[in-house]
PDB file of all heavy atoms in Angstrom:
ATOM      1  N   SER N 248     143.436 146.236 175.664  1.00 89.00           N
ATOM      2  CA  SER N 248     144.660 146.374 176.375  1.00 89.00           C
ATOM      3  C   SER N 248     145.314 147.869 176.055  1.00 89.00           C
ATOM      4  O   SER N 248     146.285 148.219 176.754  1.00 89.00           O
ATOM      5  CB  SER N 248     145.685 145.295 175.901  1.00 89.00           C
ATOM      6  OG  SER N 248     145.154 144.065 176.367  1.00 89.00           O
ATOM      7  N   ALA N 249     144.922 148.432 174.963  1.00 91.00           N
ATOM      8  CA  ALA N 249     145.265 149.703 174.553  1.00 91.00           C
ATOM      9  C   ALA N 249     144.634 150.860 175.281  1.00 91.00           C
ATOM     10  O   ALA N 249     145.134 151.985 175.198  1.00 91.00           O
ATOM     11  CB  ALA N 249     145.114 149.829 173.021  1.00 91.00           C
ATOM     12  N   LEU N 250     143.665 150.635 176.090  1.00 94.00           N
ATOM     13  CA  LEU N 250     142.937 151.649 176.787  1.00 94.00           C
ATOM     14  C   LEU N 250     143.493 151.933 178.203  1.00 94.00           C
ATOM     15  O   LEU N 250     144.064 151.180 178.764  1.00 94.00           O
ATOM     16  CB  LEU N 250     141.438 151.294 176.932  1.00 94.00           C
ATOM     17  CG  LEU N 250     140.626 151.067 175.582  1.00 94.00           C
ATOM     18  CD1 LEU N 250     139.245 150.441 175.900  1.00 94.00           C
ATOM     19  CD2 LEU N 250     140.527 152.351 174.826  1.00 94.00           C
ATOM     20  N   LYS N 251     143.145 153.224 178.685  1.00 95.00           N
ATOM     21  CA  LYS N 251     143.296 153.647 179.974  1.00 95.00           C
ATOM     22  C   LYS N 251     141.895 153.624 180.688  1.00 95.00           C
ATOM     23  O   LYS N 251     140.807 153.713 180.061  1.00 95.00           O
ATOM     24  CB  LYS N 251     143.964 154.975 180.150  1.00 95.00           C
ATOM     25  CG  LYS N 251     145.246 155.220 179.406  1.00 95.00           C
ATOM     26  CD  LYS N 251     145.929 156.478 179.885  1.00 95.00           C
ATOM     27  CE  LYS N 251     145.147 157.690 179.426  1.00 95.00           C
ATOM     28  NZ  LYS N 251     145.079 157.933 177.892  1.00 95.00           N
ATOM     29  N   ALA N 252     141.937 153.427 181.997  1.00 97.00           N
ATOM     30  CA  ALA N 252     140.622 153.445 182.784  1.00 97.00           C
ATOM     31  C   ALA N 252     139.719 154.681 182.646  1.00 97.00           C
ATOM     32  O   ALA N 252     138.531 154.525 182.723  1.00 97.00           O
ATOM     33  CB  ALA N 252     140.871 153.157 184.268  1.00 97.00           C
ATOM     34  N   SER N 253     140.422 155.732 182.289  1.00 97.00           N
ATOM     35  CA  SER N 253     139.592 157.038 182.106  1.00 97.00           C
ATOM     36  C   SER N 253     139.119 157.229 180.761  1.00 97.00           C
ATOM     37  O   SER N 253     138.327 158.205 180.484  1.00 97.00           O
ATOM     38  CB  SER N 253     140.406 158.097 182.561  1.00 97.00           C
ATOM     39  OG  SER N 253     141.658 158.380 181.829  1.00 97.00           O
ATOM     40  N   ASP N 254     139.547 156.331 179.763  1.00 97.00           N
ATOM     41  CA  ASP N 254     139.106 156.574 178.339  1.00 97.00           C
ATOM     42  C   ASP N 254     137.698 156.394 178.120  1.00 97.00           C
ATOM     43  O   ASP N 254     136.957 155.429 178.857  1.00 97.00           O
ATOM     44  CB  ASP N 254     139.964 155.670 177.447  1.00 97.00           C
ATOM     45  CG  ASP N 254     141.297 155.995 177.303  1.00 97.00           C
ATOM     46  OD1 ASP N 254     141.654 157.268 177.654  1.00 97.00           O
ATOM     47  OD2 ASP N 254     142.154 155.152 176.876  1.00 97.00           O
ATOM     48  N   THR N 255     137.131 156.976 177.159  1.00 97.00           N
ATOM     49  CA  THR N 255     135.703 156.670 176.710  1.00 97.00           C
ATOM     50  C   THR N 255     135.810 156.629 175.168  1.00 97.00           C
ATOM     51  O   THR N 255     136.637 157.402 174.499  1.00 97.00           O
ATOM     52  CB  THR N 255     134.749 157.716 177.147  1.00 97.00           C
ATOM     53  OG1 THR N 255     134.956 159.044 176.554  1.00 97.00           O
ATOM     54  CG2 THR N 255     134.936 158.061 178.634  1.00 97.00           C
ATOM     55  N   THR N 256     134.914 155.818 174.663  1.00 95.00           N
ATOM     56  CA  THR N 256     134.893 155.779 173.060  1.00 95.00           C
ATOM     57  C   THR N 256     133.434 155.720 172.755  1.00 95.00           C
ATOM     58  O   THR N 256     132.555 155.285 173.510  1.00 95.00           O
ATOM     59  CB  THR N 256     135.660 154.585 172.519  1.00 95.00           C
ATOM     60  OG1 THR N 256     134.835 153.498 172.678  1.00 95.00           O
ATOM     61  CG2 THR N 256     136.982 154.509 173.142  1.00 95.00           C
ATOM     62  N   ARG N 257     133.045 155.945 171.399  1.00 93.00           N
ATOM     63  CA  ARG N 257     131.789 155.997 171.019  1.00 93.00           C
ATOM     64  C   ARG N 257     131.208 154.598 170.908  1.00 93.00           C
ATOM     65  O   ARG N 257     129.873 154.438 170.798  1.00 93.00           O
ATOM     66  CB  ARG N 257     131.709 156.694 169.625  1.00 93.00           C
ATOM     67  CG  ARG N 257     132.389 155.892 168.555  1.00 93.00           C
ATOM     68  CD  ARG N 257     132.113 156.609 167.127  1.00 93.00           C
ATOM     69  NE  ARG N 257     132.499 158.036 167.069  1.00 93.00           N
ATOM     70  CZ  ARG N 257     132.310 158.846 166.145  1.00 93.00           C
ATOM     71  NH1 ARG N 257     131.585 158.417 165.090  1.00 93.00           N
ATOM     72  NH2 ARG N 257     132.961 160.041 166.107  1.00 93.00           N
ATOM     73  N   ASN N 258     131.948 153.538 170.859  1.00 93.00           N
ATOM     74  CA  ASN N 258     131.359 152.128 170.766  1.00 93.00           C
ATOM     75  C   ASN N 258     131.903 151.312 171.924  1.00 93.00           C
ATOM     76  O   ASN N 258     131.806 149.986 171.917  1.00 93.00           O
ATOM     77  CB  ASN N 258     131.853 151.573 169.371  1.00 93.00           C
ATOM     78  CG  ASN N 258     133.280 151.638 169.212  1.00 93.00           C
ATOM     79  OD1 ASN N 258     134.005 151.913 170.102  1.00 93.00           O
ATOM     80  ND2 ASN N 258     133.695 151.278 167.982  1.00 93.00           N
ATOM     81  N   MET N 259     132.202 151.883 173.146  1.00 96.00           N
ATOM     82  CA  MET N 259     132.492 151.026 174.304  1.00 96.00           C
ATOM     83  C   MET N 259     131.522 151.177 175.405  1.00 96.00           C
ATOM     84  O   MET N 259     131.199 152.211 175.989  1.00 96.00           O
ATOM     85  CB  MET N 259     133.823 151.554 174.856  1.00 96.00           C
ATOM     86  CG  MET N 259     134.297 150.856 176.099  1.00 96.00           C
ATOM     87  SD  MET N 259     134.560 149.039 176.058  1.00 96.00           S
ATOM     88  CE  MET N 259     136.215 149.103 175.448  1.00 96.00           C
ATOM     89  N   GLY N 260     130.726 150.028 175.589  1.00 98.00           N
ATOM     90  CA  GLY N 260     129.767 149.962 176.622  1.00 98.00           C
ATOM     91  C   GLY N 260     130.138 149.031 177.698  1.00 98.00           C
ATOM     92  O   GLY N 260     131.304 148.658 177.948  1.00 98.00           O
TER      93      GLY N 260
END
Side-chain angles (χ1 to χ4, degrees):
S248 299
L250 294 173
K251 299 192 299 292
S253 60
D254 285 345
T255 71
T256 77
R257 66 174 60 184
N258 53 10
M259 176 64 83

